[in-house]
């Protein structure tokens, strides 16, 4: 939690010249809606075979084909990163007995996409070249810091407006400059999980808008007129 203290000289004073000691605590909320200009998508290849070497070889060949196809549509190598590589045996259970079925080999790639309009094309390209899962799409904003600062400014303004309303209702004198501001922790937003199959139709991707929130706790000083 970030803390900002105010040392402004325009502090509210009581009639005897002392600073007011009545405190008003409010929560300010600021929201900014921004259309994303990029995306991150995780595409995966899962292969199975009774022989581990065969499953590994098929996985490696298919994944290389996926990588080549993604690069061919304009994604640079630096934007393609292996996320994880897993090998696990898969079993059937018959009459209470564990019977080996196949080895399952899976590899996931994280692909950073700078052109928001090409997300659907890149997913289709990956799927048509062997990818059999898409674990999530996260829409990103290149200048998220500036947008968050705007949301933070709106949160401060919201806190001041709330304090004014309360002070007017109570008929008290309010120092509109808070003596303390606490920035609240941001909430984590998890991406949706989806699985795609190859088809002749183009995958429609609608980015919508990202919502950037900023919450603060502000403490104001007030006194009677």
């Amino acid at each position: 939690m970030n803390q900002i203290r105010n040392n402004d000289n325009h502090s509210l004073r009581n009639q005897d010249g002392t600073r007011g000691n009545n405190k008003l605590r409010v929560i300010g909320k600021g929201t900014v809606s921004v259309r994303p200009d990029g995306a991150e998508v995780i595409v995966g290849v899962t292969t199975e075979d009774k022989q581990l070497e065969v499953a590994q070889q098929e996985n490696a060949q298919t994944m290389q084909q996926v990588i080549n196809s993604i690069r061919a549509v304009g994604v640079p190598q630096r934007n393609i990163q292996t996320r994880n590589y897993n090998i696990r045996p898969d079993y059937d259970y018959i009459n209470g007995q564990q019977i080996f079925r196949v080895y399952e080999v899976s590899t996931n790639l994280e692909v950073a996409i700078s052109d928001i309009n090409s997300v659907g094309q890149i997913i289709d390209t990956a799927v048509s070249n062997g990818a059999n899962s898409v674990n999530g799409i996260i829409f990103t904003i290149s200048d998220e810091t500036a947008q968050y600062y705007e949301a933070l400014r709106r949160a401060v303004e919201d806190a001041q407006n709330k304090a004014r309303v309360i002070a007017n209702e109570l008929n008290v004198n309010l120092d509109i400059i808070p003596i303390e501001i606490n920035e609240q922790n941001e909430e984590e937003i998890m991406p949706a999980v989806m699985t795609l199959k190859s088809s002749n139709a183009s995958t429609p991707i609608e980015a919508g808008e990202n919502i950037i929130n900023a919450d603060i706790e502000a403490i104001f000083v007030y006194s009677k007129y």
Side-chain angles (χ1 to χ4, degrees):
M1 177 182 292
N2 297 326
Q3 188 177 82
I4 307 169
R5 294 185 181 276
N6 174 61
N7 294 317
D8 194 281
N9 292 327
H10 296 88
S11 301
L12 183 148
R13 301 280 177 172
N14 292 320
Q15 291 182 355
D16 60 1
T18 61
R19 183 172 174 78
N21 57 6
N22 297 310
K23 295 180 181 179
L24 172 64
R25 188 187 308 266
V26 298
I27 299 297
K29 295 182 176 293
T31 301
V32 175
S33 299
V34 185
R35 182 167 178 80
D37 54 12
E40 294 176 357
V41 59
I42 298 174
V43 297
V45 172
T46 300
T47 54
E48 295 180 345
D49 198 275
K50 289 184 178 296
Q51 298 183 34
L52 177 56
E53 294 80 2
V54 174
Q56 286 180 296
Q57 184 177 12
E58 181 183 349
N59 189 278
Q61 291 175 345
T62 304
M63 182 53 74
Q64 189 59 57
Q65 182 174 312
V66 170
I67 293 173
N68 293 341
S69 68
I70 292 175
R71 293 189 64 186
V73 294
V75 178
Q77 182 67 45
R78 65 178 181 275
N79 287 3
I80 304 172
Q81 183 178 17
T82 300
R83 184 71 174 267
N84 53 54
Y85 179 80
N86 294 313
I87 298 174
R88 73 176 184 89
D90 194 12
Y91 298 92
D92 289 328
Y93 292 87
I94 301 176
N95 297 326
Q97 292 186 343
Q98 179 178 281
I99 300 176
F100 172 75
R101 190 176 71 84
V102 291
Y103 285 103
E104 181 182 281
V105 179
S106 61
T107 308
N108 287 330
L109 289 179
E110 182 176 297
V111 183
I113 304 170
S114 57
D115 180 7
I116 194 73
N117 297 317
S118 66
V119 175
Q121 178 192 9
I122 291 171
I123 290 176
D124 287 343
T125 298
V127 171
S128 63
N129 282 275
N132 49 23
S133 69
V134 176
N135 296 322
I137 300 176
I138 303 175
F139 293 104
T140 60
I141 302 168
S142 58
D143 191 11
E144 187 170 343
T145 299
Q147 303 298 334
Y148 177 72
Y149 286 168
E150 172 60 21
L152 195 61
R153 185 194 67 77
R154 295 183 184 184
V156 173
E157 183 179 350
D158 180 55
Q160 289 179 314
N161 289 337
K162 288 178 178 177
R164 286 191 185 97
V165 171
I166 295 172
N168 288 338
E169 180 65 24
L170 297 177
N171 194 29
V172 295
N173 190 21
L174 175 73
D175 187 343
I176 199 57
I177 301 177
I179 61 171
E180 185 176 315
I181 297 177
N182 295 316
E183 182 184 5
Q184 306 297 298
N185 293 332
E186 298 178 66
E187 295 182 0
E188 182 180 7
I189 301 176
M190 299 299 294
V193 177
M194 66 181 72
T195 299
L196 302 179
K197 294 183 178 180
S198 180
S199 66
N200 293 328
S202 177
T203 302
I205 300 295
E206 179 55 51
E209 291 186 335
N210 281 19
I211 306 298
I212 299 177
N213 296 310
D215 294 342
I216 66 162
E217 177 191 61
I219 301 175
F220 299 86
V221 171
Y222 70 92
S223 66
K224 295 182 179 180
Y225 287 105

